[in-house]
Amino acid sequence: VLHVERKRSGGQLVEITIKVLEKRDGVWWLAPNSSNPKWSAFPVADAEDAEVAIKGVVTGSWRPREF
């Protein structure tokens, strides 16, 4: 699980997201870990005028619990 930043339009549009790294037919993809169809996967070497940077690796998470 990775912290990803994708910039498009010369840095005018910035997406900061959490994605899962997957290899599909020899191509590396960044895919959402979500059941919401609104979010889509994109290749690491995004060709649509975008710069993709992996900013960090998620090593754990914390969720509050109600008692």
Side-chain angles (χ1 to χ4, degrees):
V1 178
L2 303 170
H3 167 204
V4 178
E5 183 176 284
R6 180 168 62 160
K7 295 180 182 179
R8 291 188 278 180
S9 301
Q12 297 290 327
L13 301 171
V14 179
E15 173 189 7
I16 298 172
T17 185
I18 301 295
K19 298 285 187 197
V20 177
L21 188 62
E22 297 178 351
K23 193 169 190 178
R24 302 178 186 173
D25 299 322
V27 178
W28 288 103
W29 287 74
L30 292 165
N33 189 12
S34 172
S35 59
N36 187 338
K38 175 181 175 181
W39 310 117
S40 60
F42 55 87
V44 173
D46 198 337
E48 60 180 64
D49 182 38
E51 175 188 332
V52 177
I54 296 172
K55 296 294 194 171
V57 177
V58 177
T59 60
S61 65
W62 177 81
R63 294 181 191 211
R65 240 172 62 177
E66 285 191 40
F67 292 97

